[in-house]
Structures are given as C-alpha cells and as structure tokens.
C-alpha cells in the first residue's frame, strides 16, 4: 500500500512533466523523492536487482526534473516582485530575460534526460517490487524505518547546531536538506499510523517551507548578481534598479532567517521526538505485530498417543 500510493503519484504527474508543465515537474519530482525514501525502507532484506534498478531510475528522474524546477520557482518570485510598486520594472525585466534564457536551456536538458528514462519499464519494476513485497515479512520495513529515522534525526540535529545563529547560506541549506529527508521518512511512519507522526511531519514541513523560501530567494540573488556583472549593453544600464531588487531580496532573507532562528529549538525538539519516540514506537509495534502473528498461527494438530493397555 505504501509503495503503491507513491507509485501512483509518480504515474499521475510524470506525463505532464514530460510535456514540460511546471506543475507536473514539481509534483513528479516530489513523487520521486518520496519513492527514493520509501523503496530502500520497504525493500529491506529483499533479494534480487529489481529494487536496486528501480532506485537508480528514480534517482535519475529526480535529477532530471531538478534542472528546471528551481528556475520555475525563480520565475514565480519575479512575478511576486513585479507586483511591488517600489521595484523598478526595467531592471526586473533584465533579470527575467536572464532567467528565462537559462530556464529554456535547462528545459532542453531535462527533456533530453527524461527521454532516456523508460517510464514504462520503471513502472514495471515498481510493480514487480510491490508483488514481491506482498510475499515478504510485513514488519521488516518498520525496523528499517526506525533505524533510518534515528540517522535522519541525528543529521538534522547536527546540521542545526552547525548552522548556529549565523546567517550562512550553505549551512542553512544543509539544515533544509536534512529536514526534508527526515520529513519524507516521517511520512512513511505517518502512513503506517504511528501515533504522533503526523504532527511531527507538519512541524518539519513548516521549517522546510521557511528554509525552502529562503533558499529560493538566495538562488534569485545569484541571478541578480549575474545580471549585474554582465556588460552594460546586456543589462540595459539599470544598475540602480538591480540594487533595489537586491535590497528587497536581502531584507526578506534576513526576515526568514530570524523566523527560522525563532523556531530552531522547536525543530530540534521535533528531531528528538522522531528519534526517541517515533522510532521506538515503530520497533515496539513490530514486536507486538510479531507476537500477534504467532498467536494467530494455527496450532498443529498431533495425533493422540496410543493408550497403553
């Protein structure tokens, strides 16, 4: 069920992604990330190369879709800035022209990579894996997920402490990545009906949204800087306008960093609950399910011993 649900999501959005639809690209990429988290957990102890082959193909899909998704978000932020009266339109259009050109180039690369991915073959592999899983121990994935949650939570905790209170883009990026990976692992626990997992998923998602927005703004800052460093003939001589855009982006980045700092302790607490509560509940539920299974097994009927004369 857990694998089938994630497979259906990919199958639903991949055709739109292949057409270059920006919403399809985003949803298909999220679906691949969820599958990348689920397949290794659900196939723990599974022999054969079907699961490994599926993981490789899913990873290629994620990378191919990622070439464009980031710039689609950048275009959306530019649209937001265009609605602000204080942002100079000429400078904004210079940046938009730069981003559109890069997005078009990346879209060609994405479509070329997607053409090399046989989506039908991937679906068949995932179906074969699901069929095999239906004949395996239904509890093994819970033990694997419990171990994975401990590692993911530990990495998030380390990333938060490493980032500290300093505004450093690379360290905050590591916090975002760690929170995202823990969230996708926790979604498996929530779908497995582990008590409290759903609330922790929501907490992780809020932190991920804040840090994701911060990252998206930082990406746009790099594009603004690229336009500013171009020859005057290519940027239209709107240096002052570019400065206004940069100031607006920097102000929002600082605001989001402050928002993250205010919630960083809650994020640490959430990571700790994932590590010490959810993972323990997964392990305990495995034991309980194992005992229930043993109790449900039919008792072998032995022939009564012959009575002695």
């Amino acid at each position: 069920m857990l694998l089938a649900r994630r497979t259906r999501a990919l199958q639903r959005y991949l055709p739109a992604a292949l057409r270059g639809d920006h919403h399809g690209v985003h949803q298909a990429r999220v679906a691949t990330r969820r599958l990348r988290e689920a397949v290794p957990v659900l196939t723990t102890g599974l022999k054969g190369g079907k699961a490994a082959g599926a993981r490789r193909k899913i990873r290629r899909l994620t990378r191919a879709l990622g070439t464009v998704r980031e710039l689609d978000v950048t275009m959306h932020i530019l649209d937001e800035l265009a609605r602000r009266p204080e942002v100079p339109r000429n400078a904004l259009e210079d940046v938009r022209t730069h981003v559109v050109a890069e997005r078009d180039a990346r879209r060609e690369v994405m479509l070329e990579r997607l053409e090399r991915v046989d989506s039908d073959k991937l679906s068949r592999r995932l179906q074969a894996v699901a069929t095999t899983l239906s004949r395996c121990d239904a509890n093994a994935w819970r033990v694997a997920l419990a171990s994975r949650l401990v590692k993911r939570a530990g990495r998030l905790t380390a990333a938060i402490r490493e980032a500290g209170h300093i505004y450093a883009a690379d360290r905050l990026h590591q916090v975002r990545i760690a929170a995202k990976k823990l969230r996708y692992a926790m979604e498996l626990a929530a779908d497995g009906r582990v008590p409290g997992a759903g609330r922790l998923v929501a907490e992780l998602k809020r932190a991920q949204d804040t840090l994701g927005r911060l990252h998206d703004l930082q990406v746009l800052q790099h594009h603004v800087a690229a336009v500013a460093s171009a020859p005057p003939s290519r940027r239209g001589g709107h240096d002052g306008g570019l400065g206004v855009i940069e100031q607006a982006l920097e102000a929002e980045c600082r605001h989001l960093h402050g928002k993250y700092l205010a919630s960083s302790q809650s994020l640490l607490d959430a990571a700790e609950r994932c590590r010490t509560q959810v993972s323990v509940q997964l392990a305990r539920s495995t034991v309980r399910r194992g005992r229930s299974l043993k109790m449900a097994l039919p008792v072998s009927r032995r022939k009564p011993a012959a009575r002695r004369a």
Side-chain angles (χ1 to χ4, degrees):
M1 177 63 73
L2 296 177
L3 183 61
R5 185 183 307 165
R6 286 157 174 78
T7 300
R8 286 195 300 270
L10 178 60
Q11 293 170 337
R12 184 184 309 124
Y13 293 110
L14 190 55
L18 290 169
R19 296 193 300 269
D21 176 75
H22 66 91
H23 179 70
V25 168
H26 170 61
Q27 294 298 335
R29 189 163 186 249
V30 170
T32 63
R33 288 195 175 279
R34 286 181 169 136
L35 277 169
R36 286 176 64 181
E37 196 66 32
V39 171
V41 170
L42 298 176
T43 59
T44 299
L46 189 65
K47 296 181 180 180
K50 294 185 183 301
R55 288 199 298 270
R56 286 194 297 270
K57 289 183 177 296
I58 295 167
R59 184 166 58 249
R60 289 173 193 163
L61 269 178
T62 305
R63 291 174 178 173
L65 295 166
T67 58
V68 169
R69 172 58 188 163
E70 189 175 79
L71 289 175
D72 284 338
V73 175
T74 302
M75 291 294 296
H76 180 71
I77 297 175
L78 287 172
D79 291 339
E80 291 179 5
L81 290 172
R83 293 192 287 270
R84 298 185 186 181
E86 72 276 10
V87 176
R89 294 295 178 272
N90 291 336
L92 195 64
E93 289 308 311
D94 285 347
V95 178
R96 188 188 300 276
T97 299
H98 169 82
V99 172
V100 167
E102 186 167 341
R103 184 184 64 172
D104 291 344
R106 289 194 189 183
R107 189 178 295 275
E108 291 182 8
V109 173
M110 179 192 74
L111 294 176
E112 181 182 347
R113 290 180 178 178
L114 288 176
E115 287 177 358
R116 296 199 295 265
V117 177
D118 190 336
S119 57
D120 292 334
K121 186 175 181 180
L122 173 59
S123 295
R124 290 194 299 271
R125 281 184 182 273
L126 289 171
Q127 181 58 48
V129 171
T131 301
T132 305
L133 286 175
S134 65
R135 302 193 294 265
C136 296
D137 181 4
N139 295 317
W141 71 271
R142 293 177 177 271
V143 177
L145 181 57
S147 176
R148 200 174 186 86
L149 286 175
V150 170
K151 294 178 181 178
R152 291 276 193 252
R155 288 172 184 171
L156 176 57
T157 299
I160 294 171
R161 290 175 176 166
E162 180 69 19
H165 291 77
I166 300 174
Y167 178 65
D170 56 341
R171 294 184 181 182
L172 292 168
H173 179 63
Q174 293 305 313
V175 176
R176 182 178 73 88
I177 295 297
K180 177 168 59 177
K181 289 183 176 181
L182 179 56
R183 171 200 163 189
Y184 287 141
M186 282 296 299
E187 285 181 346
L188 284 169
D191 289 346
R193 299 183 179 181
V194 177
R199 291 192 298 274
L200 287 170
V201 168
E203 288 187 43
L204 292 167
K205 187 178 185 304
R206 282 194 293 272
Q208 183 188 337
D209 288 344
T210 298
L211 292 169
R213 173 71 178 186
L214 177 57
H215 173 72
D216 295 336
L217 293 171
Q218 290 166 344
V219 169
L220 180 51
Q221 284 181 312
H222 288 302
H223 290 295
V224 173
V227 173
S229 63
S233 59
R234 295 178 57 186
R235 66 173 181 266
H238 304 303
D239 292 1
L242 293 174
V244 173
I245 296 173
E246 173 57 34
Q247 290 174 7
L249 294 174
E250 185 67 15
E252 186 172 353
C253 284
R254 296 291 178 176
H255 169 74
L256 289 170
H257 181 239
K259 184 177 179 180
Y260 157 73
L261 290 178
S263 63
S264 59
Q265 185 57 53
S266 296
L267 189 56
L268 279 170
D269 293 342
E272 182 66 9
R273 292 200 300 277
C274 292
R275 187 181 69 83
T276 61
Q277 296 179 16
V278 176
S279 62
V280 170
Q281 289 177 30
L282 278 165
R284 286 176 178 171
S285 65
T286 302
V287 173
R288 288 196 299 270
R289 287 167 182 263
R291 288 175 178 170
S292 298
L293 179 61
K294 290 180 181 179
M295 293 174 66
L297 290 174
V299 178
S300 61
R301 295 180 179 177
R302 298 179 180 177
K303 293 182 179 179
R307 294 182 180 177
R308 294 181 181 180

